[in-house]
Amino acid sequence: MSHDVIVDALPYIDTGYDEPGVREAAIAMVEDEKKRYRPTKNYLEHLQPLNLSAFETEVMRVEFERVSARQPMDTLSMKRYELPPPPPGKMTDVAAWSECVDNSMAQLEHQATRITNLQLMEEYGSEAWKSHNNMLQNMLTKQQALLQDLKKEIQELNWSRKNMQTKAGEELRHLESSWVSLVSRNYEIEQACVMLEAQIAKLEMEKSNQD
């Protein structure tokens, strides 16, 4: 059994769409079709349940819980940048002072790394950003070209449809004119036949009266 649908509408040449009642009749047909195919209560029941936490990290989970509980966000901790001395009870403890010195060295190294990163950013950051922008521009240009090609294909398709429908409309009008002409001729022939039959009947009646 074929499921092909033959569309006999020619929107480029058909008329009458703006006539009163046409739009209402079309809407009524659509509503009637919708009543025949009512969707089920859950038309996604054949799919597996959606896992909303598939890509959720521990940090995201904690943050979501904080937002749900309407708790304030923790302030930025500056503890890692502090250089506290040994506690009062260990002011003469060499190990405590060594730990403080190690902490200060780690802080200095961290700051040196930040300075190095800033210097690298100052020297190469602009070029890296330009390269990134160029990549984005190339992507944009490519997508715009694809869009233009797609618009061109759509325009050519619409033009082809319009051309085909215009030719079909001319042929239909020619056939309709021929049909009207033939029907008119047939009517004239029928009228002539009726007149001839009437004349023949009249002649036959006159002949019978003479006999």
Side-chain angles (χ1 to χ4, degrees):
M1 179 178 180
S2 175
H3 296 280
D4 295 338
V5 178
I6 299 177
V7 180
D8 58 354
L10 300 175
Y12 284 102
I13 63 174
D14 287 342
T15 58
Y17 295 112
D18 297 330
E19 294 181 0
V22 174
R23 178 179 176 82
E24 290 74 11
I27 294 176
M29 293 174 63
V30 172
E31 293 297 330
D32 182 64
E33 187 74 12
K34 288 167 61 178
K35 293 178 181 178
R36 302 179 188 178
Y37 301 98
R38 291 187 176 275
T40 58
K41 293 183 178 180
N42 183 12
Y43 60 93
L44 300 178
E45 58 185 2
H46 63 286
L47 301 176
Q48 296 182 356
L50 183 62
N51 185 8
L52 298 176
S53 60
F55 302 97
E56 186 178 293
T57 63
E58 181 65 19
V59 176
M60 294 173 61
R61 184 186 62 79
V62 173
E63 185 64 15
F64 288 154
E65 292 177 354
R66 182 194 66 78
V67 174
S68 300
R70 298 182 179 275
Q71 296 178 355
M73 182 182 295
D74 295 337
T75 57
L76 182 62
S77 177
M78 304 298 293
K79 188 175 182 60
R80 59 181 297 183
Y81 303 107
E82 296 177 357
L83 296 175
K90 297 184 178 181
M91 294 300 291
T92 59
D93 189 350
V94 177
W97 279 105
S98 297
E99 184 177 351
C100 291
V101 171
D102 291 340
N103 182 34
S104 64
M105 295 296 292
Q107 293 294 341
L108 288 174
E109 187 64 27
H110 175 68
Q111 296 299 327
T113 303
R114 292 188 62 187
I115 293 174
T116 302
N117 289 334
L118 290 174
Q119 290 174 346
L120 291 173
M121 180 67 68
E122 183 179 4
E123 184 174 358
Y124 302 107
S126 59
E127 296 299 326
W129 187 251
K130 289 180 182 178
S131 177
H132 177 69
N133 287 341
N134 289 335
M135 182 182 66
L136 293 179
Q137 184 63 44
N138 292 335
M139 293 174 59
L140 176 62
T141 303
K142 183 178 180 181
Q143 295 302 320
Q144 287 178 340
L146 292 175
L147 177 61
Q148 291 300 323
D149 292 341
L150 183 59
K151 287 183 177 180
K152 183 179 179 181
E153 291 179 6
I154 294 175
Q155 185 177 6
E156 291 178 351
L157 178 60
N158 290 334
W159 174 254
S160 176
R161 287 176 176 173
K162 183 176 182 180
N163 189 30
M164 292 175 60
Q165 291 185 22
T166 302
K167 291 181 179 179
E170 294 176 356
E171 184 177 357
L172 287 173
R173 284 189 288 269
H174 174 71
L175 293 174
E176 184 178 5
S177 177
S178 299
W179 177 81
V180 172
S181 176
L182 291 174
V183 170
S184 299
R185 290 179 60 185
N186 288 338
Y187 178 75
E188 293 175 356
I189 292 173
E190 289 178 357
Q191 292 295 320
C193 290
V194 170
M195 294 177 61
L196 289 175
E197 289 175 354
Q199 292 178 4
I200 291 173
K202 182 178 180 182
L203 292 174
E204 289 179 349
M205 184 177 295
E206 292 176 355
K207 182 178 179 181
S208 62
N209 291 334
Q210 292 176 359
D211 293 341

